[in-house]
Amino acid sequence: MLLAAPRGYCAGVERAIRTVEEALRRHGPPVYVRKQIVHNTFVVGDLTRRGAIFVEELDEVPDGALVIFSAHGVSPAVKDGAAVRGLRTVDATCPLVTKVHKEAVRFAEAGYDIVLIGHADHEEVEGTLGEAPEHIHLVDPAHPEELRLDGERPVGWLSQTTLSVDETLGAVARIRERFPLLADPPSDDICYASQNRQEAIAAIAPGCDLVLVVGSPNSSNSRRLVEVALGAGAAAGHLVDHAAQVQEQWLAGVETIGVSSGASVPDHLVTGLLGWLAERGFTQVETVTLAEETLTFSLPHELRQIGGVL
Ligand code: SF4
């Protein structure tokens, strides 16, 4: 087995989960969380057992309750809605998502049309769109040709933080054919964690008969890891929430298995997968490390208002 590194939790996910844990400790249950705090079934289940209540929208949150915004970010309209209701809020948006929101606001203030490359059904995209709805034009990274834009205003591009680097750059090149003066984001929007995990899985994929990525089906960065592995030469690849989802027939004729996990995945789920594979004869594990990660983010300052020292 080739074990890709880095894998698993990123700084934004660690911060978001710790935010809910701290809120539960300081405030006591229940603490409401709008949307899944991070896109992982196990994490959400664990926090639910400890007293978090996950809701889709603020109208499910009772008056006077404490509500946490998820790592994927929210549009200004959601924050305004919470303020109008007088809800106490803690914003666990990843700082690297907030950075993209600020870039959208700056482009819009400068009079730009913004091409946002991302997936329409993703919460992060909904939040970023809400920063400048009159200026932002969403396009899927797989279908840049579907962009409808007249080019009367200057044009810049931004992206969702968890996309495939190669697919996104391909889309940008296509868009630039139509808009040669297309302005780039001030810095990479695809975050360090997505890039590092993609580079690591791409490095091991060519030698793999099978790649298994641990992650939930709604996790964008986890899904991209399977796509990147297949694109880099893995013979087969699957996304699994945990070991029990691996199908025995996937192992037929397989000699080398690549393993990684998305940025929202606790490492014990990977350990569980390695144990499951070891029981089936895959006992040799080699870790392939492409980068060391040391980034951490401080907790949201609003937690201080709940009490105690951060
Ligand atoms: Fe932040 Fe990237 Fe992690 Fe998303 S995947 S929470 S953008 S560091």
Side-chain angles (χ1 to χ4, degrees):
M1 283 183 291
L2 298 174
L3 188 56
R7 65 179 179 281
Y9 280 0
C10 61
V13 163
E14 293 230 25
R15 173 181 186 262
I17 294 170
R18 274 197 60 209
T19 297
V20 179
E21 291 172 341
E22 271 296 308
L24 284 167
R25 190 175 69 78
R26 290 156 179 260
H27 177 271
V31 164
Y32 287 79
V33 184
R34 181 184 177 275
K35 308 286 186 187
Q36 292 189 350
I37 186 71
V38 299
H39 285 157
N40 184 266
T41 311
F42 176 88
V43 171
V44 170
D46 180 51
L47 292 172
T48 300
R49 278 188 292 279
R50 293 156 69 180
I53 297 177
F54 291 88
V55 298
E56 280 302 300
E57 291 302 341
L58 292 181
D59 55 16
E60 298 165 60
V61 179
D63 290 340
L66 179 71
V67 60
I68 298 173
F69 297 138
S70 79
H72 307 100
V74 289
S75 72
V78 172
K79 290 183 181 171
D80 292 348
V84 166
R85 292 230 2 240
L87 296 173
R88 289 176 296 159
T89 61
V90 177
D91 188 357
T93 302
C94 175
L96 299 182
V97 173
T98 302
K99 177 181 81 76
V100 179
H101 282 223
K102 288 180 177 165
E103 289 169 354
V105 170
R106 271 191 231 114
F107 264 141
E109 285 175 352
Y112 277 70
D113 272 321
I114 302 159
V115 179
L116 175 62
I117 303 172
H119 295 116
D121 54 352
H122 197 277
E123 287 143 40
E124 180 188 322
V125 165
E126 286 172 23
T128 307
L129 268 170
E131 291 287 357
E134 308 290 315
H135 288 257
I136 297 182
H137 306 265
L138 179 65
V139 70
D140 191 285
H143 299 289
E145 73 283 358
E146 291 180 356
L147 177 64
R148 299 279 168 267
L149 194 55
D150 53 25
E152 284 180 5
R153 296 195 280 202
V155 184
W157 72 275
L158 300 175
S159 84
Q160 194 177 334
T161 55
T162 50
L163 299 184
S164 150
V165 175
D166 289 346
E167 186 177 48
T168 303
L169 293 180
V172 170
R174 296 276 305 278
I175 296 165
R176 187 161 275 133
E177 288 169 8
R178 284 177 56 194
F179 304 103
L181 299 180
L182 183 71
D184 294 318
S187 60
D188 285 355
D189 285 344
I190 298 177
C191 73
Y192 80 99
S194 298
Q195 295 194 29
N196 286 346
R197 282 151 190 69
Q198 288 173 27
E199 284 173 17
I201 198 102
I204 63 171
C208 293
D209 307 307
L210 170 68
V211 164
L212 296 173
V213 175
V214 184
S216 292
N218 60 343
S219 165
S220 172
N221 80 87
S222 304
R223 288 169 59 176
R224 302 292 84 77
L225 290 180
V226 178
E227 294 170 3
V228 168
L230 293 172
H238 298 280
L239 182 67
V240 291
D241 240 327
H242 47 80
Q245 288 184 349
V246 181
Q247 296 179 23
E248 301 272 357
Q249 69 262 28
W250 295 346
L251 305 182
V254 164
E255 291 187 2
T256 305
I257 302 178
V259 173
S260 185
S261 58
S264 48
V265 177
D267 214 38
H268 69 83
L269 296 177
V270 175
T271 308
L273 174 63
L274 297 182
W276 188 92
L277 290 168
E279 288 168 10
R280 285 150 183 84
F282 294 91
T283 51
Q284 277 182 289
V285 183
E286 181 187 335
T287 300
V288 179
T289 304
L290 266 281
E292 302 288 344
E293 293 181 344
T294 54
L295 185 69
T296 57
F297 294 126
S298 55
L299 291 174
H301 62 86
E302 305 96 293
L303 281 172
R304 289 200 186 93
Q305 291 158 10
I306 307 173
V309 177
L310 272 186

